[in-house]
Amino acid sequence: MASGVLALRRDAAGIAVAAALAALILGTLAAVAWQARGLSALQSWDWRAVWFTIWQAALSAALSAGLAVPVARAFARRRFPGRALLVTLLGAPFILPVIVAIMGLIAVFGRTGAINEALRAVGIGEFSVYGWQGVVLAHVFFNLPLSIRLILQGWQSIPVERFRLADSLGFGPADTARHLEWPMLRGVLPGIWLAVFLVCLTSFTVALALGGGPAATTVELAIYQAFRFDFDLGRAAALGLVQIALSLGALVLSRRMATAVAFGTGLDLAHGPVGPRGWRRAMDAVAILAAALFLLCPIGAVILQGLPRIPDLPTEVWAATLRSICMALISASIAAALCLALALTIAKTSNGWLEAAGMLPLVASPLVLGTGLFIMLRAHVAIDDLALPVTALINAVMALPFGLRALIPAARSLRADYGRLADSLNMTGLARLRLLTLPRLAAPLGFSTGLAAALAMGDLGVIALFATDQPTLPLKLYQLMNSYRMTDASACAVLLMSISFALFWLFDRGGRLA
């Protein structure tokens, strides 16, 4: 009995975090459901927003997964100087602030961008970056790198010996694709498509900046409009219920469609398959070059336009910068503490319910949680007082699933390797945390903290609901864009991007050096 009480006491932090997460997520969702009182508040254009949300997410996911296949295949079977660096750089859009990427896409694909200049030179009509095509373009920009990395992992999961056996049997490229590559793709593509689909369902900033209008309004944008402009909480809550239902449906579907691909084990040889020569080699080079230009040119365009103008930024931008850094650090600290406590308890108890609690933030988008918290707190706190604390809290909570994916495996390894020794030495409390846990988990904890800080720094979700006279840097950037102060907006974008990457690098690098 005493040992059970002692074990419960040691696990109290993780259990408390799981309970608090469940209360926060489920409580806010319950508040949204209560305020909605069914779906009667929804009007015809709201249902059009639901249809557009599903349609654009499906199209964006299909394009992201489909375009990633030739690029991932080219990376898998080609070796060239700078390959590892290029693969790393292709992951930059994941932590790039969304509003900065939109600035880059406008610089390249906008009316005065390089693409439209080229189209006008050859007598072809202009491409508009606003509307549904802009929303899909931005979603592909953000999710193509993720799809490439996941499909590349699938290629690398095929043992090199299978490709060598195929060569010895005289397989041509078509035979290898049919017997090795296509079975792998059939296993990984549905999951990748659904992951991107879920991300695009809850995308707000892209629709806010590039969408709008009856033909390109997502559910998230409709929630914002109902909340911010109409102050129709019943309609905003009803739309929140629809968003939750869409997210839950996508999550359930992803679990049902997840399949395992078994190629057996190999000798873990370092070098992958050697790609065919001739025109296929040229096509691989074209695929890699096209992906690199598409993903890196918008970032480069923002840097070229904005970097020289940073010293001329107005005072209010620097105030917003300081505000954002403070909020990002607070949010990252909360996320790190919650993630560490929960990961250690999950590693010790192997409790599936605790792990499920850590994944609960995937059920609701930040905008839905912000709406729910406002409904719960509006009678007690002024809206201006809610903006920054709620933004910091929700950003910390939304970063938890990503942090747990990095920390749980490391915490389980720590428990298996050193747990019994630490228990035999009666090493508990702060001594165990300082001497064993933090040194051994420094690298994954630094990565997850840096990711949380970067995501919080660039967030333009919840803060847009509570827009006040104390904007964060992303909100200030959006306000500059709306005021057509594009010179200041470009400089602001470079500043935001630099700080986001710097925060991630500092925490990630610090964890690796600890």
Side-chain angles (χ1 to χ4, degrees), residues 65-77 151 155 283-284 287-288:
L67 294 174
V69 171
V71 183
R73 179 176 56 188
F75 274 116
R77 63 188 188 182
I151 296 175
W155 245 288
M283 292 303 297
D284 286 346
I288 293 174

Side-chain angles (χ1 to χ4, degrees), residues 154-346:
W155 245 288
Q156 292 171 342
S157 70
I158 306 175
V160 176
E161 292 83 2
R162 304 296 181 272
F163 290 102
R164 292 183 175 180
L165 177 61
D167 288 339
S168 68
L169 294 174
F171 279 20
D175 299 316
T176 301
R178 183 168 63 254
H179 293 288
L180 290 178
E181 296 174 338
W182 172 241
M184 178 274 297
L185 291 173
R186 190 169 52 197
V188 302
L189 280 179
I192 294 172
W193 184 91
L194 282 164
V196 176
F197 179 79
L198 181 61
V199 170
C200 296
L201 278 181
T202 57
S203 172
F204 167 69
T205 305
V206 169
L208 178 66
L210 299 178
T217 296
T218 62
V219 174
E220 293 270 292
L221 186 54
I223 293 172
Y224 170 75
Q225 292 168 346
F227 185 102
R228 190 68 194 169
F229 298 113
D230 303 330
F231 201 70
D232 188 345
L233 294 181
R235 181 165 157 252
L239 287 164
L241 285 182
V242 173
Q243 183 73 312
I244 294 166
L246 292 176
S247 299
L248 282 174
L251 285 172
V252 171
L253 188 60
S254 66
R255 292 184 67 87
R256 287 182 175 272
M257 294 185 65
T259 57
V261 184
F263 287 101
T265 58
L267 298 176
D268 295 328
L269 298 179
H271 297 290
V274 178
R277 300 183 180 276
W279 66 270
R280 290 185 178 86
R281 184 174 184 176
M283 292 303 297
D284 286 346
V286 169
I288 293 174
L289 181 61
L293 289 175
F294 174 64
L295 296 172
L296 299 180
C297 280
I299 301 175
V302 170
I303 295 174
L304 289 176
Q305 290 181 5
L307 188 60
R309 299 178 174 89
I310 288 180
D312 301 324
L313 283 172
T315 305
E316 61 265 23
V317 172
W318 296 107
T321 301
L322 181 60
R323 197 175 296 120
S324 284
I325 293 174
C326 293
M327 189 203 66
L329 293 176
I330 292 171
S331 183
S333 300
I334 296 172
L338 297 180
C339 195
L340 181 61
L342 194 53
L344 291 174
T345 305
I346 291 171

Side-chain angles (χ1 to χ4, degrees), residues 94-112:
F94 186 74
I95 60 172
L96 182 71
V98 178
I99 193 66
V100 174
I102 290 171
M103 281 286 300
L105 291 174
I106 292 173
V108 174
F109 294 92
R111 182 176 178 81
T112 58

